[in-house]
Amino acid sequence: SDSHFPIPISPDDVDLSQHYPRYFPADKGEHGDGGGDAEAPRIRFADVGCGFGGLLVGLSPLFPDKLMIGMELRDKVTEYVKERVLALRASNPGQYDNISVVRTNSMKYIPNYFGKAQLSKMFFLFPDPHFKEKNHRRRVISMHLLDEYAYVMEVGGIIYTITDVEELGIWMRTCLEKHPLFEAVPEEEIKVDPVVKLLSSATEEGQKVARNGGQTFQAIFRHMDL
Ligand code: SAM
């Protein structure tokens, strides 16, 4: 249950030095030298329900100057991702310092981790479908949660969703289409976005679907101004 993992009371309470030690060296003190706060990097990408972390590992070298975090509910899976990142850092010095993972319930605690307009990309890749009507409120995309995601995303930021469950794909797209703060990214842009390929090729779930020859349904939307 929630009591088994710590919950930051606000985004300022998130200890970034634990996640990204190379960006926040311990000898600089908790808040750097006091004058450089404007320069302090912030988490910019969130992979919600990151599973085994394949997307983060694929994104890390593409955006070496962006801090990214995976959010994962399962304890053992989170521990696996932590170990995976540490092993990658150890065998590739100077790389993979920008990715990390946190165990949390993303449906409850997104605002505890990110402030207004902080994120430039959010990922919802192969989320659990929650088929039953009464479980729709447990889906990671809903009108209510999109309000929250819009708050933590910068204007122009992109939300990426993909699933192999057609009903869920339609649901996620419909919510995004209905929401006043999101607009579909045009097809020409999707085609040249290097991140889009990774949605299937880098995620463990996407690889599984590809091996089984399954179909996928993606919806890629931009946070816009009213
Ligand atoms: N995105 C990964 C991929 O594509 O390989 C994992 C997909 S897996 C089917 C869905 C993941 O979301 C699971 O690891 C599950 O534990 C996690 N999850 C489900 N509900 C969650 C929640 N409320 N907060 C955080 N993670 C959650």
Side-chain angles (χ1 to χ4, degrees), residues 205-222:
E205 204 58 35
Q207 291 167 1
K208 193 157 92 189
V209 174
R211 273 199 303 276
N212 299 333
Q215 222 189 327
T216 57
F217 308 88
Q218 60 183 37
I220 300 171
F221 278 65
R222 178 180 287 119

Side-chain angles (χ1 to χ4, degrees), residues 2-63:
D2 292 353
S3 57
H4 296 298
F5 52 84
I7 298 152
I9 54 168
S10 80
D12 291 336
D13 190 37
V14 180
D15 183 2
L16 295 176
S17 68
Q18 264 190 18
H19 288 285
Y20 313 100
R22 199 166 70 85
Y23 289 80
F24 299 90
D27 56 7
K28 287 236 180 105
E30 212 187 321
H31 298 291
D33 58 13
D37 275 2
E39 308 266 303
R42 308 177 82 194
I43 296 171
R44 300 284 284 153
F45 297 0
D47 183 8
V48 179
C50 68
F52 297 99
L55 178 83
L56 294 165
V57 172
L59 282 176
S60 174
L62 277 186
F63 300 91

Side-chain angles (χ1 to χ4, degrees), residues 19-222:
H19 288 285
Y20 313 100
R22 199 166 70 85
Y23 289 80
F24 299 90
D27 56 7
K28 287 236 180 105
E30 212 187 321
H31 298 291
D33 58 13
D37 275 2
E39 308 266 303
R42 308 177 82 194
I43 296 171
R44 300 284 284 153
F45 297 0
D47 183 8
V48 179
C50 68
F52 297 99
L55 178 83
L56 294 165
V57 172
L59 282 176
S60 174
L62 277 186
F63 300 91
D65 62 334
K66 295 275 191 285
L67 299 187
M68 318 176 187
I69 196 129
M71 309 183 98
E72 174 51 53
L73 189 57
R74 287 180 291 170
D75 187 28
K76 283 195 174 141
V77 177
T78 311
E79 290 305 312
Y80 169 88
V81 178
K82 277 187 198 165
E83 292 301 322
R84 184 178 184 181
V85 172
L86 290 177
L88 281 166
R89 288 178 185 171
S91 51
N92 304 274
Q95 291 183 63
Y96 301 105
D97 294 299
N98 60 334
I99 57 175
S100 189
V101 66
V102 70
R103 180 177 178 216
T104 197
N105 184 341
S106 69
M107 293 184 63
K108 288 182 163 178
Y109 301 119
I110 289 271
N112 297 63
Y113 281 89
F114 312 113
K116 185 173 165 58
Q118 178 172 343
L119 299 176
S120 62
K121 293 188 189 297
M122 291 188 84
F123 298 92
F124 300 86
L125 310 184
F126 302 98
D128 299 319
H130 297 300
F131 279 109
K132 289 188 188 141
E133 188 74 36
K134 72 172 168 34
N135 281 339
H136 285 179
R137 65 191 170 78
R138 285 170 51 194
R139 287 181 165 170
V140 289
I141 299 283
S142 67
M143 296 308 282
H144 158 69
L145 286 169
L146 283 177
D147 291 341
E148 254 179 35
Y149 304 154
Y151 178 81
V152 297
M153 286 182 83
E154 67 178 16
V155 169
I158 298 182
I159 189 163
Y160 297 82
T161 74
I162 189 168
T163 176
D164 58 326
V165 178
E166 183 168 17
E167 182 195 328
L168 178 62
I170 293 169
W171 167 272
M172 293 196 290
R173 171 171 291 281
T174 305
C175 289
L176 283 158
E177 280 172 347
K178 279 200 300 207
H179 198 285
L181 291 175
F182 290 95
E183 63 182 354
V185 173
E187 207 47 49
E188 317 83 76
E189 272 180 60
I190 290 177
K191 273 198 210 121
V192 298
D193 182 345
V195 170
V196 174
K197 288 202 283 303
L198 296 181
L199 307 183
S200 277
S201 69
T203 55
E204 282 70 18
E205 204 58 35
Q207 291 167 1
K208 193 157 92 189
V209 174
R211 273 199 303 276
N212 299 333
Q215 222 189 327
T216 57
F217 308 88
Q218 60 183 37
I220 300 171
F221 278 65
R222 178 180 287 119

